[in-house]
Amino acid sequence: MPEEICARPHIGSVVEEPADVRSTHGVLEITLTAFNAAQSDGSTRYCFIDAQGRESPNLRVNPGDLVIIHLKNAITEPNQGDPEASHVHSRMTGNACTSGTMSISSTNLHFHGLTIPPVCHQDDVLKTSVQPGDPPFEYRFRIPENEAPGLYWYHPHIHGFSKQQVLGGASGALIVEGIERVKREVAGLPERVFIIRDQDLINPNASPSKSEPAVPKFMIDRDGDAANNGTGFGKPAKDLSINYVPVPFPDYPPAIVQMKPGERQLWRVLNASAITYLNLEVLFQRFPQPLGIVAMDGVPIGYGVDTQAAGESLNWQTHLGIPPGARVEFIVQGPPAGETGLLVNAHGGHGAGRRERHQQDAREDYSNTECSGTTL
């Protein structure tokens, strides 16, 4: 057991990459344990931790690989005062494959986007449910030979409780390798995996920053959040984090993403939020920069078209709309030495009430030396 369950980096931290777990000789085998940890503010964190103590590792596989995941449930029972404690969808057969028991302490795994069968021990979420104290449950499936190379993800899918566990941070990336063989322009580029999650507000009672214009009362919904009005101002419904580094309302202190000045990188961005829609931009001196889309939802642009043009084509945009569960992989170039760039959620959607461009998710700082970093 790790020293701190579901540990999180501090506000303003450097954004670290999730650990990579790669298949070997055609097999990826791993043990993941589901944990939760109650916080002093009343919230609860959730996470998957492997046998080496790494939280939410990237699972990297190739088409045709066998995946074996031993899932343990170490989630503790909620306090009896918790309104969710008595909310249970139960059949209780004693068999994790047919149990159907869905409670706040149940868990399972869904492999979002993969074309694998929805049957027990593969990708069933309707009946498969692992309870605390159950023996390790084995997931065993093979990545299809024709699975598109790209970004997928795993998360619990306990009906009635998925939102709480995903909001708590129980999610990770699954990457099918080989995208450089489909999109030749990404070959040799440094690769970054960024998982953007939402979470309950750290400062729920704070007033919006004084730098924001006042939001008229008719644009405020009944929860006190900014309505879906496209302004992005006001109190958001949720805070965001990037690789678990929180960027909380109301001042949005930026997380730091390090890269070399002017360097081109392949960014693989997953929106693992429970409810928040993203509209991402990269800004230099407040101006949106071109982003070359390589793939969306695990499928490369032009995938299946066997032509030179398809292999070289990118879709260039200045902003990327990413709904919950969606993934976008794109080429980005860092700002020149000495300049600062911003990755921002330009405006909110679906009640998320996110902020406008001057409020950053992360900041990029570049100096004149190649070894120095960036903050995004």
Side-chain angles (χ1 to χ4, degrees):
M1 184 177 294
E3 292 182 5
E4 180 182 356
I5 302 298
C6 302
R8 298 289 189 264
H10 296 295
I11 295 169
S13 298
V14 172
V15 176
E16 302 290 346
E17 298 288 311
D20 286 326
V21 176
R22 300 177 184 273
S23 62
T24 303
H25 305 301
V27 178
L28 187 151
E29 186 168 8
I30 188 173
T31 296
L32 292 176
T33 302
F35 287 100
N36 66 335
Q39 304 300 298
S40 59
D41 62 1
S43 65
T44 301
R45 295 174 181 170
Y46 291 84
C47 61
F48 292 111
I49 297 178
D50 74 359
Q52 285 69 47
R54 298 171 295 194
E55 186 171 344
S56 302
N58 298 329
L59 306 183
R60 290 184 174 268
V61 296
N62 297 287
D65 280 351
L66 177 65
V67 178
I68 305 170
I69 300 175
H70 307 282
L71 177 64
K72 299 179 181 180
N73 186 349
I75 296 175
T76 57
E77 295 289 341
N79 297 325
Q80 291 304 308
D82 190 324
E84 299 290 353
S86 59
H87 178 196
V88 178
H89 306 172
S90 182
R91 294 178 189 166
M92 296 298 290
T93 65
N95 183 338
C97 277
T98 58
S99 144
T101 300
M102 305 287 171
S103 74
I104 197 165
S105 57
S106 307
T107 196
N108 59 16
L109 284 174
H110 171 49
F111 304 97
H112 199 122
L114 288 182
T115 52
I116 56 177
V119 297
C120 190
H121 299 291
Q122 296 195 52
D123 201 22
D124 169 65
V125 296
L126 297 178
K127 298 179 180 179
T128 302
S129 181
V130 182
Q131 308 307 313
D134 282 357
F137 182 82
E138 182 178 280
Y139 285 89
R140 178 182 289 260
F141 57 88
R142 192 169 295 276
I143 304 296
E145 292 283 357
N146 62 349
E147 192 74 81
L151 179 60
Y152 303 84
W153 63 301
Y154 60 92
H155 61 88
H157 205 300
I158 293 294
H159 287 274
F161 304 95
S162 297
K163 175 184 173 182
Q164 293 94 316
Q165 296 190 15
V166 172
L167 272 176
S171 56
L174 190 154
I175 297 166
V176 177
E177 304 282 24
I179 197 168
E180 71 282 353
R181 294 191 292 271
V182 179
K183 290 295 179 184
R184 290 180 285 275
E185 193 161 350
V186 307
L189 293 184
E191 179 182 319
R192 311 297 296 274
V193 177
F194 294 128
I195 303 176
I196 298 177
R197 300 174 174 91
D198 58 6
Q199 62 186 56
D200 290 331
L201 295 176
I202 294 175
N203 305 305
N205 299 319
S207 300
S209 171
K210 293 181 179 180
S211 64
E212 289 192 11
V215 178
K217 290 186 179 300
F218 70 86
M219 286 188 171
I220 303 296
D221 65 23
R222 62 186 179 184
D223 296 319
D225 298 335
N228 185 16
N229 52 48
T231 68
F233 294 115
K235 176 184 173 182
K238 301 294 179 186
D239 283 331
L240 291 182
S241 68
I242 178 168
N243 290 5
Y244 290 124
V245 179
V247 185
F249 166 82
D251 297 321
Y252 308 105
I256 302 171
V257 173
Q258 296 180 324
M259 60 191 297
K260 296 177 182 178
E263 183 178 48
R264 296 175 84 241
Q265 295 184 346
L266 172 64
W267 285 11
R268 314 185 97 155
V269 176
L270 157 64
N271 183 2
S273 297
I275 68 167
T276 303
Y277 285 61
L278 303 176
N279 186 19
L280 297 184
E281 294 181 346
V282 172
L283 307 179
F284 298 170
Q285 298 182 353
R286 298 184 179 271
F287 290 99
Q289 300 300 301
L291 307 172
I293 300 177
V294 173
M296 297 183 68
D297 291 339
V299 181
I301 300 297
Y303 185 67
V305 180
D306 189 17
T307 65
Q308 180 176 350
E312 295 175 351
S313 63
L314 300 177
N315 187 330
W316 290 93
Q317 302 289 335
T318 56
H319 66 94
L320 304 175
I322 315 176
R327 294 86 66 205
V328 178
E329 299 166 74
F330 56 94
I331 293 175
V332 62
Q333 184 169 358
E339 288 192 13
T340 296
L342 296 174
L343 170 65
V344 300
N345 189 26
H347 60 75
H350 201 66
R354 296 309 299 173
R355 52 215 175 272
E356 257 289 359
R357 292 179 180 174
H358 67 284
Q359 296 162 323
Q360 57 261 33
D361 280 337
R363 186 183 72 244
E364 300 172 332
D365 290 333
Y366 300 81
S367 72
N368 292 320
T369 59
E370 281 198 348
C371 62
S372 63
T374 75
T375 46
L376 176 74

